[in-house]
Amino acid sequence: MAKKKQAKKNAGKRKTGDSIGDALRVTPGFQLADLNPAAKPAFSGKKQDAEKVMAAARNEIDDLQERLYAGGRDGDGPAVLLVVQGMDTSGKGGIMRHVVGTVDPQGVKLHAFKAPDAEERRHPFLWRIRRELPDPGYIGVFDRSHYEDVLVVRVHDLVPPSTWGRRYGQINTFERKVNEKGIHVIKVMLHISSDEQKARLQERLDRPDKYWKFNPGDIDEREHWEAYQEAYQAVLDKTSTDENPWYVVPADHKWYARLAVQQLLLDKLRELDLGWPDADFDVAEQKKRLAAT
Ligand code: AMP
Ligand code: MG
C-alpha cells in the first residue's frame, strides 16, 4: 500500500495500549491533511471519562511539579517547556486555562508571543524567545512561539523566502541548545478544521461574552487557510526531530485536546524521574537544635 494511503488508514486508529503521546507523535511521512481534526486517538472514552482521567492526573502533576521546582532551587536541575501552536480559535487559550491553569502558578512561566514590537524586530528572531526560556525547576509555556517566524511570517512574506527558509535549521540547532541547558521541550500543534474554526468565530460573534476574543483579522486569515496548512506541514517535516518531536493534537473536540496536552505534560514529567533533593544541612543536628528550643 502507498505510504500516504497507509497513513490515512492508520489516522485516528490505534492499537489499544498505545499512549496518547505515542499516537500523536509526528514521525517521518506524517501528513497533516490525513489526520481528522475530530479524531480522538488512543482514547475510547467520552467527555465525562476524560474529565475523570484529567482530575486524577492533576494530583500526579502537582506532585511531580513540586519535585521539579524543588530540584531547581539550587539553580540547577531540569525544566520543561511546553510550546503550543495552532490556528486562531484552535483552543490555545483553553489549554492555558484548563491544563496549565491547574498547575501551581509559582512554578509556571507562561508567555504569549504577539507580533514582535519595535525592539524585538531589531534583533534576530530567537532573541525574544531566549529571554522567556524557563529557569531550572520551572514549567515554561509558550502560547505561540519561534514557530510564528516560519508560519505567519512565511504565509505573509514578512521576510524573504531565503530568510525564513534558513530558520528551520536555526530552530533545530536552537532547540538542541535548549535541551543542553536541561530544558525538556514538548511541542504541540492544535489541529482544527476550517469548518470548526468558522463555527467558533460565529460563536464569538453571537455571544457578547465572547466579543472580546473576536478579531476581524481572523476572518482575513481564513483566506490563507491552505497556505497555513502548508506552512504547518513544512514545520512538521523539518523540525520534528528525535530529540524534539512534534505532537499533533486533533482539536475539534476541545475536551480531547485538553486531555491530550495534559497527558503529554504528565508523560514528560514522569520521564524526568524526579526525586526530592537531598538536604544541604545535617538533619539530625537540626532536629536536635529544634528540640532544644
Ligand atoms: P493572539 O495569539 O490571538 O493574541 O494573536 C497574536 C498574533 O501575533 C497572531 O496574529 C500571530 O500571528 C502574531 N504573531 C506572533 N508572533 C509573530 C511573529 N513572529 N511575526 C508576526 N506575527 C506574529
Ligand atoms: Mg487571536
Side-chain angles (χ1 to χ4, degrees), residues 38-219:
K40 289 162 270 182
F43 189 72
S44 52
K46 297 199 167 28
K47 185 176 177 181
Q48 296 91 302
D49 304 311
E51 276 160 11
K52 280 183 207 136
V53 174
M54 287 189 75
R58 237 166 257 148
N59 295 326
E60 192 179 347
I61 289 177
D62 272 351
D63 173 65
L64 293 172
Q65 182 274 329
E66 195 177 353
R67 289 167 189 256
L68 182 72
Y69 188 79
R73 284 277 303 268
D74 61 357
D76 208 4
V80 169
L81 175 61
L82 174 65
V83 173
V84 183
Q85 284 288 159
M87 301 289 286
D88 294 316
T89 77
S90 60
K92 297 185 290 294
I95 296 294
M96 300 309 145
R97 272 193 306 284
H98 297 275
V99 181
V100 177
T102 66
V103 180
D104 183 350
Q106 293 183 90
V108 173
K109 192 180 174 203
L110 169 74
H111 191 81
F113 288 95
K114 309 292 178 187
D117 63 22
E119 183 179 22
E120 289 168 344
R121 279 199 304 273
R122 281 196 294 274
H123 293 274
F125 76 104
L126 292 170
W127 179 78
R128 66 176 186 160
I129 308 296
R130 253 182 219 112
R131 289 158 47 108
E132 301 297 338
L133 289 172
D135 289 328
Y138 284 81
I139 299 176
V141 182
F142 287 177
D143 175 348
R144 303 187 190 268
S145 66
H146 42 304
Y147 285 99
E148 291 295 326
D149 293 280
V150 285
L151 290 164
V152 62
V153 167
R154 168 175 163 151
V155 168
H156 289 287
D157 298 316
L158 300 182
V159 300
S162 58
T163 303
W164 59 251
R166 276 194 298 274
R167 289 182 174 171
Y168 301 96
Q170 290 167 343
I171 287 172
N172 289 338
T173 304
F174 169 70
E175 289 181 356
R176 269 198 302 276
K177 289 196 182 129
V178 167
N179 296 154
E180 283 163 16
K181 288 183 205 276
I183 303 171
H184 299 256
V185 183
I186 313 166
K187 302 190 290 193
V188 169
M189 179 205 173
L190 301 176
H191 178 47
I192 54 163
S193 62
S194 172
D195 287 350
E196 179 64 20
Q197 186 189 63
K198 192 169 187 176
R200 291 182 187 179
L201 289 172
Q202 184 69 50
E203 192 183 20
R204 290 180 183 185
L205 290 171
D206 289 340
R207 287 178 44 179
D209 63 320
K210 298 228 169 183
Y211 292 166
W212 68 275
K213 288 191 188 182
F214 183 78
N215 170 9
D218 292 351
I219 296 179

Side-chain angles (χ1 to χ4, degrees), residues 16-27:
T16 48
D18 268 8
S19 71
I20 288 181
D22 289 335
L24 302 183
R25 190 179 304 111
V26 169
T27 50

Side-chain angles (χ1 to χ4, degrees), residues 241-261:
T241 60
D242 287 341
E243 304 89 351
N244 296 300
W246 274 98
Y247 294 86
V248 178
V249 175
D252 274 7
H253 296 288
K254 289 179 182 171
W255 65 264
Y256 175 79
R258 292 168 190 171
L259 169 73
V261 176

